[in-house]
Amino acid sequence: MEFLFVILPLCFFLGIDAAVFTLENKCNDIIWPGIQPGAGRPQLMNGGFQLKPGETVTINAPTGWSGRFWGRRGCSFDVSGKGTCQTGDCGGVLECAGAGGVPPATLAEFTLDSPLDFYDVSLVDGYNIPISIAPSGGSSTCQTVKCLTDLNQHCPDGLEMKKNDTVIGCKSACLAFNKPEYCCTGVYSTPKTCKPTVYSKAFKLACPLAYSYAYDDGSSTFTCQKANYSIGFC
Ligand SMILES: *[C@@H]1O[C@H](CO)[C@@H](O)[C@H](O)[C@H]1NC(C)=O
Ligand SMILES: *[C@@H]1O[C@H](CO)[C@@H](O)[C@H](O)[C@H]1NC(C)=O
């Protein structure tokens, strides 16, 4: 049993260093954030919950956590947590429990303590909701990253995802056309051969700090250290 006395204080110590994520719904509609941990990382909030306009939720993440956050919209769930979302759905359940969101979905991605925290807003899986990431209390660059342009209103022709006549999401060119040059696959599978396209350039113009295609690393990855992070929707 001695090992417990070693491990428990160690966990507590690691816990002190962990990051706090604050999720805020600045939209006018209810959203349902989804959280997918990286491989081998623990679930936060069982992967999903409802967030009303103006509400905030704080979530503690352990040291070394990685994963992604996204916003689901137009959901309806029954009392058992089964239902669907118009965008970002994770298999018809309120608590995504490890599943990711169906594209198109704007992502806020994190890899903590590696040894810096790396974070980005990604449009590689398309766009469905404005997202911002604001670090606080950290050292290093710690830049705020925003993609607040409503790309549903400025979605390039051919990428729109519509519900009746309303655009509710903006697909990536990879999802819309499934071609290697858009997906950075096949002969386009390296940063040298996969270049920006007219579609990724439109995303970049709308959100200069967000990933617009798979190899958009130079202008889209940000670092901070020992910080907390506010993730705003809208
Ligand atoms: C993160 O938030 C927690 C809880 O509010 C606070 O105790 C801690 O000092 C914050 N860390 C930083 C780096 O601001
Ligand atoms: C969308 O279209 C369906 C079927 O055409 C209709 O039943 C529904 O009321 C429409 N929804 C909205 C929000 O207009």
Side-chain angles (χ1 to χ4, degrees):
M1 290 300 278
E2 276 107 296
F3 72 96
L4 273 182
F5 297 100
V6 179
I7 290 171
L8 287 178
L10 184 63
C11 291
F12 183 66
F13 171 73
L14 290 174
I16 288 173
D17 272 349
V20 176
F21 290 108
T22 302
L23 274 57
E24 180 176 5
N25 181 0
K26 302 178 180 178
C27 308
N28 296 322
D29 53 326
I30 302 176
I31 63 162
W32 288 261
I35 310 173
Q36 183 185 34
R41 300 300 188 279
Q43 296 290 339
L44 305 181
M45 306 286 285
N46 289 325
F49 55 95
Q50 177 185 281
L51 200 59
K52 296 199 178 99
E55 263 185 352
T56 62
V57 159
T58 61
I59 302 168
N60 290 288
T63 302
W65 190 82
S66 67
R68 44 176 53 173
F69 298 80
W70 72 100
R72 292 172 288 172
R73 274 182 142 165
C75 306
S76 70
F77 295 108
D78 65 19
V79 286
S80 74
K82 293 203 171 70
T84 55
C85 301
Q86 289 181 359
T87 59
D89 194 54
C90 64
V93 285
L94 172 62
E95 298 183 338
C96 299
V102 175
T106 322
L107 304 173
E109 305 181 300
F110 292 85
T111 301
L112 304 180
D113 312 299
S114 193
L116 296 173
D117 297 349
F118 291 82
Y119 59 97
D120 64 78
V121 172
S122 174
L123 304 178
V124 174
D125 281 350
Y127 171 100
N128 72 323
I129 195 170
I131 289 187
S132 63
I133 301 174
S136 64
S139 48
S140 167
T141 342
C142 305
Q143 190 174 334
T144 293
V145 180
K146 295 178 181 174
C147 178
L148 297 183
T149 302
D150 190 353
L151 256 171
N152 291 339
Q153 302 303 316
H154 299 97
C155 187
D157 280 349
L159 302 186
E160 303 99 332
M161 178 178 161
K162 288 185 183 171
K163 172 87 180 170
N164 292 354
D165 279 338
T166 308
V167 179
I168 57 171
C170 187
K171 297 177 200 167
S172 66
C174 173
L175 180 66
F177 308 122
N178 192 25
K179 292 210 172 126
E181 60 263 48
Y182 299 133
C183 300
C184 298
T185 53
V187 295
Y188 299 94
S189 65
T190 69
K192 272 213 165 87
T193 53
C194 201
K195 296 291 180 196
T197 64
V198 42
Y199 297 105
S200 72
K201 283 178 183 167
F203 281 14
K204 203 68 188 171
L205 190 64
C207 288
L209 300 182
Y211 262 87
S212 61
Y213 72 107
Y215 291 119
D216 195 10
D217 306 82
S219 59
S220 323
T221 297
F222 298 89
T223 56
C224 191
Q225 197 165 22
K226 299 199 190 309
N228 291 333
Y229 296 91
S230 287
I231 301 171
F233 297 94
C234 299

